Structures are given as C-alpha cells and as structure tokens.
Amino acid sequence: MFRSQLEWLNPGWLVLIASILLAGIGAYCVSVASWRDPSGASAYAARHLTFAFLGVGVALVAMIPHYRRIAMFAWPVGILCLILLGVLLVPFVPTSIVQPRNGARRWIDLGITDFQPSELAKVAYVLVTAGYLRFRNNYRTLLGLIPPGLIALVPMALIVVEPDLGTALLFIPALLAMLIAAGAKMRHLIATCMLGAVAAGVILVACLVFAERDQYPLLKRHQVKRIQDVVARYKGDESQADEASFQGMKATTLVGAGGVFGQSDSKSRAMIRASRLPEAHNDMIFAVLVNRFGLVGAWGTVGLYTLWIGSALWVAGRCKDPFGRLVVVGLVATTATAAVIHMGENLGVFPITGITLPFVSYGGTSLLTTFLMVGLICNVGLRRPEYLWRKSFEFGEDENIDPRTRWR
C-alpha cells in the first residue's frame, strides 16, 4: 500500500544542506554570545554541535518510513503532546521534573537534558491538521473552518498559559498556509483573518488600558511591557532604556555596530560582553550574528533560509499526495514565520516574544525538532509521485465527490 520508488535526486537534499549550514553558523554564534561564561563558550558551541549532529540523525531516521505510515501516528503523538503540555501546568508537579524559569513552565527535566513539549507539539499539530484536511472538503465553507481552527486552539491555549505567546502564534500561519494549499476559499479566509485582527486589536487595546491601572488580566505583565516598549521606541521614547527596553535596545545597538562586514571575533565578543545582552545565545542570536558578520552575514543567513523555504516548497509542488503536500507546507510556514519574527524582534520591529531562530539559536529540543521537520520534508521529496494520481486539491463541478476517492 505504501510502496513507491525512491527518487534520490530531489530538492529535499537542499533543505538538509541549508539546515546543516545554518546549524554550523549557529554553533559559532553561540560561542560568541556566551558572555556570561566566556571560559565555557566552547562548551556551549560543542553542545550545540552535538544536538545538531543528533538532529541530522533524527532527520535521516524520519526519512525511512513512508510518510503516509507516519500519518497513522499523528493523533496519538498529538494527544501525547497535549498531555505533556498539561503536565507543565499542574502546580503540584515536583520542581525536579518541571522547573519554572523566569516565571515560565515550559520544560520537563529528563536528567541529561530538558525537553520542551511545545516544540514537538508544532510538528504533531501539522501532522494532525494535514490528516484532517486530507479526506475532507467541508473547509471550503465558512463554518467548515471551525474544526481545523479548534484543532489549533487547544495546543495554543495550553502554550499561552505557560506562558509562551511566541510559540503559540506559530500555529496560526501554519493553519492558514495549509488551508490555502488545501484549496480553502480565499474570501472565507480573508473574512476570518479580518475578524481575528479586530479581536486581536480589541484585546491589545484592553491590555494597554488595564496596564495603565497596573492590572494584567489577559496577558502577563512582561508581555504587555514588551508591547509598550516597541510602541515607545517607534515614538523615540528611550526613557525605559534600563528597564523594559533594555534587551531590545541592546540588540539593535549591536546590530547597528556590525556595519556592512561586521566586527572581528575578539571585538565582537568584547562588545557583546560589555553590552550584557540577555539571552544572547538564543532569543537574541541574530543580533550576535549581525554584529559579528555585518549586513553581509545577515543577507547570507536570509539567503540560506530562502534556499530552505524555496527547496521545501519545491518538494511540496512535486508531491501529488495531499497529505504529503500539506505536511511540507505547514512545516515551511512554521519555520519561516519563526525566522521572520526572530529577526524582527532583534531589529526592533516586533515585540520580543522569545522565539528562537531555527537551527541557529541554542537549544536541544528546538534543534532536534527542526531537524525532524527536515527529515519529514526529505521523506516527502524522496517518494516519487505515483502514476495515475490526480493533482492535489482540484475543485470544480465534481466538488461533491467523496474526498476519499478524489485523490486516487
């Protein structure tokens, strides 16, 4: 049932190559960013490379089974992720298992390393949603958009409570991208997005109004402060440079100091150490990269992400199977959105949410998960499109045909 010839020459390998190059750049930047413990900088870089090496292994393993076999485990893995996300929020779980950090409960201590369930939840969500859309066409109605929206809402709500607003936001672009790829009607999506934008605007205004009274019923205090920080900086207000704006302003200062070609290794390390940039090795790694390699390095990194995204979309375009195509599109949207938001935060365009830069930022679970995404994309690219299959998600006069037979 799942047999197909392997097509070894395919664009999926370009995705893997770009990922390895980005991870290599990340290892060096993590070393440069380790200002809190300069003597242990090489150790941080070594751990990053170790996880990258393990990540490549995870990617290779993920290529072995046919991706339609993996679809069988989408719901069980998704439910497991929801259980783990729920465990994080249970207050009486011992701190030896769930250790809060800076007020956030995001990690499960596995002894040798920490595990962040929200990272795996992103992949599980894409698989579950792709499986749901595969055999249906009810999402081509306005009310039919509710079920896939609810599938996204459950993990998003649990992740927001951690709190981790940045990761939760990544589910929305993934959902929209998969709905577009599946043939949802644009007028329905536009109407839904406009309604969501209005709701988000109302929530934002309410948060700012309550913040003036020192009340924070919807978002956490630090989340509201970060939004206020961006607004103030757009107005040229630097009165909070030593408080709420400290991290953002230090990042943009380091970016500007990079110039066109960047600083030397020793000077860049000294500047980052003197700036005392918080979370330089993960949340602010792009600022470190630009400071070291300048505008040329920034555009080079953007080029690698462009290669990654373009090659992955090429894989999706070649795939006639709806499940495979949706999985690739969802993973591309998740990764691309994370990269754009991270860079925007470091440039002072977006509020700081703590989103890491895929493959570059330090983090074990993040690296393993992103390489798992690469493995799934390569898995789809390796499977030659089967003969006598129609193109995915064509709709016309036969729109009422049973979706289970549409793709055969």
Side-chain angles (χ1 to χ4, degrees):
M1 178 179 178
F2 298 115
R3 293 180 180 178
S4 61
Q5 291 183 326
L6 297 181
E7 190 167 8
W8 293 104
L9 188 61
N10 71 85
W13 299 116
L14 295 177
V15 178
L16 179 60
I17 291 171
S19 303
I20 293 173
L21 292 175
L22 286 167
I25 293 171
Y28 174 73
C29 290
V30 166
S31 173
V32 175
S34 303
W35 62 267
R36 291 183 182 276
D37 183 15
S39 61
S42 58
Y44 278 100
R47 283 196 290 269
H48 187 91
L49 285 175
T50 299
F51 279 113
F53 179 79
L54 293 174
V56 173
V58 169
L60 294 176
V61 171
M63 297 179 201
I64 297 174
H66 197 294
Y67 58 86
R68 275 184 276 159
R69 288 191 183 276
I70 297 176
M72 299 177 180
F73 301 96
W75 277 100
V77 174
I79 293 172
L80 174 62
C81 288
L82 293 181
I83 293 173
L84 293 176
L85 290 172
V87 169
L88 291 174
L89 304 179
V90 177
F92 54 78
V93 173
T95 55
S96 60
I97 298 176
V98 178
Q99 177 65 51
R101 300 178 188 174
N102 298 323
R105 299 173 65 89
R106 304 178 188 174
W107 301 270
I108 296 176
D109 188 353
L110 299 181
I112 58 175
T113 187
D114 293 329
F115 172 65
Q116 192 171 355
S118 59
E119 292 291 333
L120 182 60
K122 295 185 298 185
V123 181
Y125 164 72
V126 169
L127 294 173
V128 168
T129 304
Y132 174 84
L133 296 175
R134 176 186 181 186
F135 290 132
R136 291 173 174 82
N137 57 15
N138 62 327
Y139 55 83
R140 287 178 58 78
T141 66
L142 190 58
L143 291 179
L145 295 177
I146 295 177
L150 292 176
I151 293 175
L153 183 61
V154 176
M156 285 179 63
L158 292 173
I159 294 172
V160 166
V161 177
E162 289 182 0
D164 188 359
L165 181 61
T167 300
L169 291 176
L170 298 179
F171 287 73
I172 299 176
L175 173 61
L176 288 175
M178 285 189 286
L179 285 172
I180 292 172
K185 294 181 179 179
M186 291 304 297
R187 64 177 182 270
H188 295 158
L189 293 178
I190 292 173
T192 303
C193 289
M194 290 180 64
L195 181 62
V198 171
V202 171
I203 292 174
L204 177 59
V205 171
C207 288
L208 295 177
V209 170
F210 277 110
E212 293 180 356
R213 306 173 185 174
D214 202 26
Q215 298 175 356
Y216 305 92
L218 300 175
L219 296 177
K220 300 294 183 179
R221 179 187 179 93
H222 70 276
Q223 293 172 331
V224 177
K225 291 295 184 183
R226 287 172 175 176
I227 296 172
Q228 292 174 323
D229 165 45
V230 172
V231 174
R233 290 168 64 189
Y234 272 118
K235 295 179 179 179
D237 181 5
E238 299 183 1
S239 59
Q240 299 295 313
D242 293 328
E243 297 180 16
S245 301
F246 180 82
Q247 187 177 24
M249 292 192 68
K250 290 297 182 182
T252 53
T253 300
L254 287 171
V255 167
V260 177
F261 299 104
Q263 304 292 338
S264 65
D265 179 89
S266 59
K267 188 172 182 179
S268 182
R269 291 176 187 271
M271 292 178 68
I272 294 167
R273 188 180 306 114
S275 71
R276 305 185 69 81
L277 177 65
E279 304 298 330
H281 61 304
N282 43 41
D283 297 356
M284 299 288 108
I285 197 67
F286 187 67
V288 175
L289 188 153
V290 179
N291 181 266
R292 176 63 182 89
F293 298 108
L295 184 62
V296 173
W299 279 113
T301 304
V302 171
L304 286 175
Y305 280 113
T306 303
L307 174 64
W308 196 100
I309 295 167
S311 301
L313 291 178
W314 188 0
V315 170
R318 294 171 70 254
C319 182
K320 294 182 180 180
D321 176 38
F323 178 77
R325 175 175 292 187
L326 290 179
V327 167
V328 174
V329 169
L331 297 178
V332 168
T334 301
T335 304
T337 304
V340 170
I341 293 179
H342 178 97
M343 294 179 188
E345 292 175 2
N346 281 251
L347 296 175
V349 178
F350 302 137
I352 296 173
T353 61
I355 289 181
T356 56
L357 187 59
F359 304 105
V360 180
S361 292
Y362 180 80
T365 308
S366 176
L367 262 178
L368 294 178
T369 303
T370 47
F371 272 106
L372 173 61
M373 294 181 183
V374 172
L376 293 173
I377 293 171
C378 290
N379 189 321
V380 176
L382 278 170
R383 268 67 193 184
R384 186 189 301 274
E386 299 185 31
Y387 295 109
L388 304 179
W389 275 52
R390 291 183 53 176
K391 293 182 178 179
S392 298
F393 304 112
E394 286 186 339
F395 297 94
E397 295 180 357
D398 62 345
E399 187 161 336
N400 293 323
I401 293 178
D402 184 358
R404 294 180 181 274
T405 62
R406 180 186 301 277
W407 320 119
R408 299 187 185 280

